[in-house]
Amino acid sequence: MVGGLVGTSLFLLAASYRTELAERRKLKALFARYVSPEILDEILRRRDVINISGERRFVAVLFADVRGFTRYTEEHEPEQVLSQINQVLGEMTAIILRHGGLVNKFLGDGLMAVFGIPVWKEEIWTEVFAACQAIVTNKNQPTGDALAVGIGLSWGTVLAGSVGNQQRMEYTFFGTPVNLAARLEKMAGPGEILFPFEANRTYPLPTESYTCEEVYIKGLSEPLLVGRIKEWG
Amino acid sequence: MVGGLVGTSLFLLAASYRTELAERRKLKALFARYVSPEILDEILRRRDVINISGERRFVAVLFADVRGFTRYTEEHEPEQVLSQINQVLGEMTAIILRHGGLVNKFLGDGLMAVFGIPVWKEEIWTEVFAACQAIVTNKNQPTGDALAVGIGLSWGTVLAGSVGNQQRMEYTFFGTPVNLAARLEKMAGPGEILFPFEANRTYPLPTESYTCEEVYIKGLSEPLLVGRIKEWG
């Protein structure tokens, strides 16, 4: 009698435990989807610590944004606009993840992606430019060329860490490469990729078809040499 | 002997189950901290559904950003900059949560907040303006007046939902109120709050000291009447 009760308890408890394990796994997968698996690892590694000083990391930062979306927004119903945004962001996200990058945040009809987390490797250069090419040449969108994407790219050492307070945090990247990529993206026309041009670079550019120009950037004392890729010849 | 074994198993299983329950609770709390408790509720309510069409919600949208931060960034070490950003964002976040808003995302040295989730109520007007006032008059910052905040405010029906794809999502708000609040924030000087001025408003403004001006906003065909609060007389 007592043995039977204990057996039943054991059985029920085991079932609850299994359910609980499965629930936690699901919750973790959902969490990863909302912050990126790589960033979730960083968060869990440091748990409750707000990383006030941040960690220095070498990364490549990519800002991509749909050109001409303001007009599209005016001419269509909000639900249509959102479905279109979802299509574009979904495609871009898939491309970035396929090339080993992470999507740090969505910004309206655009996004900010980071390559090199947890660790930068020289092979990543190729992946970054391949992702850019795939994004701007992607025809797998219902509106085709009408909603072309412009990209700003930059790289260097950034500070990575959680900002906010104990109630609300976000894992973010700070530093000149982030600001610069954001500014270059604003200057990129439809289908264009802008990036800081380095004459002594150790990485290969993905195409010979690029132009160079000197650009004055707010916050930088010297003009910056910027490379612009318009075509994939 | 067998009873003893079963008893021990039961004891161990119960312990694992308790640990597991505690772990899931911790994970959920951490998740809530990274996306907002209100938004986590929305996410868990719909689980794996990407909410392509979105849900229409009446909300107030607030963009706040630190003025003069670019220069501060140039003159200080990255770690100092991040610690300063954290201080400012932490303070702003605390104020917004205290007044019932949620922080949707951090944007460099600023943030986007939303009031009215899960449900809009008329009392929220007072909370929104009180939060604005608390943010711009907050002296609890190490650098005092030097890093004053500018705020853009707007309200109306937005589309709320998760964008992205199955691998990476974000819960976002779309629509004219969001774009308008972002634009007004860019036009706000240090310590100023800009908002669409409605002559027939049903809500009280928090001060008599405001000015009105007509502003041409990109994407709007007509000039917009904008209220500007500079002082809390």
Side-chain angles (χ1 to χ4, degrees):
Chain A
M1 181 62 186
V2 173
L5 255 179
V6 172
T8 311
S9 309
L10 195 55
F11 178 78
L12 288 177
L13 191 56
S16 307
Y17 181 56
R18 263 199 311 278
T19 312
E20 190 56 33
L21 272 178
E23 278 299 308
R24 178 151 75 107
R25 214 172 298 127
K26 267 194 243 167
L27 191 65
K28 196 176 164 189
L30 202 61
F31 195 174
R33 200 182 286 169
Y34 275 85
V35 297
S36 286
E38 298 89 339
I39 286 179
L40 181 57
D41 287 345
E42 300 281 330
I43 292 170
L44 292 177
R45 194 162 61 82
R46 328 202 112 242
R47 283 274 168 158
D48 302 301
V49 185
I50 295 198
N51 202 347
I52 289 222
S53 63
E55 285 178 42
R56 292 188 183 223
R57 301 288 187 93
F58 187 93
V59 296
V61 183
L62 180 160
F63 278 82
D65 195 87
V66 179
R67 301 294 154 220
F69 209 79
T70 306
R71 209 177 53 174
Y72 184 90
T73 304
E74 284 168 60
E75 293 164 355
H76 296 79
E77 281 294 300
E79 279 78 6
Q80 258 183 296
V81 172
L82 186 57
S83 137
Q84 182 66 67
I85 285 180
N86 237 322
Q87 182 93 17
V88 177
L89 294 183
E91 293 272 345
M92 286 204 269
T93 299
I95 292 168
I96 284 158
L97 300 187
R98 199 151 62 230
H99 290 280
L102 65 85
V103 176
N104 181 235
K105 57 186 86 183
F106 293 106
L107 301 158
D109 54 340
L111 55 77
M112 169 184 160
V114 174
F115 293 77
I117 299 294
V119 184
W120 178 265
K121 295 184 196 106
E122 284 304 301
E123 308 90 88
I124 297 178
W125 288 117
T126 317
E127 296 295 332
V128 172
F129 282 105
C132 289
Q133 177 170 10
I135 289 172
V136 296
T137 58
N138 176 29
K139 297 289 179 211
N140 197 11
Q141 292 171 13
T143 46
D145 289 334
L147 294 178
V149 174
I151 293 180
L153 195 64
S154 187
W155 46 78
T157 303
V158 297
L159 277 178
S162 287
V163 291
N165 66 17
Q166 286 297 337
Q167 296 165 281
R168 178 73 174 88
M169 293 183 194
E170 209 158 288
Y171 195 88
T172 334
F173 299 88
F174 290 93
T176 309
V178 182
N179 303 339
L180 188 55
R183 296 229 167 103
L184 292 178
E185 179 251 286
K186 298 259 175 289
M187 295 161 51
E192 291 184 355
I193 297 159
L194 267 65
F195 58 96
F197 188 81
E198 296 170 341
N200 299 319
R201 65 184 176 281
T202 55
Y203 50 89
L205 288 181
T207 169
E208 296 289 302
S209 313
Y210 57 82
T211 56
C212 276
E213 61 209 274
E214 281 201 338
V215 173
Y216 285 86
I217 304 264
K218 193 189 152 196
L220 293 183
S221 45
E222 307 243 316
L224 182 79
L225 197 58
V226 170
R228 186 187 292 262
I229 300 175
K230 287 189 191 212
E231 280 168 44
W232 301 87
Chain B
M1 182 64 186
V2 173
L5 255 179
V6 172
T8 310
S9 310
L10 194 57
F11 177 78
L12 289 176
L13 191 56
S16 308
Y17 182 55
R18 262 199 310 276
T19 311
E20 191 55 34
L21 272 178
E23 277 300 309
R24 178 152 74 107
R25 213 171 300 126
K26 267 194 239 167
L27 191 66
K28 196 176 163 189
L30 203 60
F31 196 174
R33 200 182 286 170
Y34 276 84
V35 295
S36 286
E38 297 88 340
I39 286 179
L40 181 56
D41 287 344
E42 300 281 329
I43 292 170
L44 293 177
R45 196 162 59 83
R46 328 201 114 241
R47 283 271 168 164
D48 302 300
V49 185
I50 296 197
N51 202 348
I52 292 223
S53 62
E55 286 179 41
R56 292 190 182 219
R57 301 286 186 93
F58 187 94
V59 297
V61 182
L62 180 160
F63 279 82
D65 194 86
V66 178
R67 299 298 155 218
F69 208 79
T70 307
R71 211 177 52 176
Y72 183 90
T73 303
E74 285 169 61
E75 294 164 355
H76 295 80
E77 281 294 301
E79 280 78 4
Q80 257 183 298
V81 172
L82 187 57
S83 136
Q84 182 67 65
I85 286 180
N86 237 322
Q87 181 92 17
V88 177
L89 293 183
E91 292 272 344
M92 285 203 271
T93 300
I95 291 168
I96 284 157
L97 300 188
R98 200 152 60 228
H99 289 281
L102 64 87
V103 175
N104 181 234
K105 57 186 87 183
F106 294 105
L107 302 157
D109 53 341
L111 55 78
M112 171 184 159
V114 174
F115 294 78
I117 299 293
V119 184
W120 178 266
K121 295 184 196 105
E122 284 303 301
E123 307 90 87
I124 297 178
W125 288 118
T126 317
E127 297 295 332
V128 172
F129 281 106
C132 290
Q133 178 170 9
I135 288 171
V136 296
T137 58
N138 176 30
K139 296 290 178 211
N140 198 11
Q141 292 172 12
T143 46
D145 289 335
L147 294 177
V149 174
I151 294 181
L153 194 66
S154 188
W155 46 78
T157 303
V158 298
L159 278 178
S162 287
V163 292
N165 66 18
Q166 287 296 336
Q167 297 165 280
R168 178 72 174 89
M169 294 182 194
E170 209 159 288
Y171 195 88
T172 334
F173 299 88
F174 291 93
T176 309
V178 182
N179 303 339
L180 188 54
R183 296 230 166 103
L184 292 178
E185 179 251 287
K186 296 259 174 289
M187 296 162 49
E192 291 184 353
I193 297 160
L194 266 65
F195 58 96
F197 188 81
E198 295 170 339
N200 298 319
R201 66 185 175 280
T202 55
Y203 51 88
L205 288 180
T207 167
E208 297 289 301
S209 315
Y210 57 81
T211 55
C212 276
E213 61 210 275
E214 281 201 339
V215 173
Y216 285 85
I217 305 265
K218 192 187 152 197
L220 293 183
S221 44
E222 307 243 313
L224 182 78
L225 196 58
V226 170
R228 186 186 292 262
I229 299 176
K230 287 190 193 209
E231 281 170 42
W232 300 87

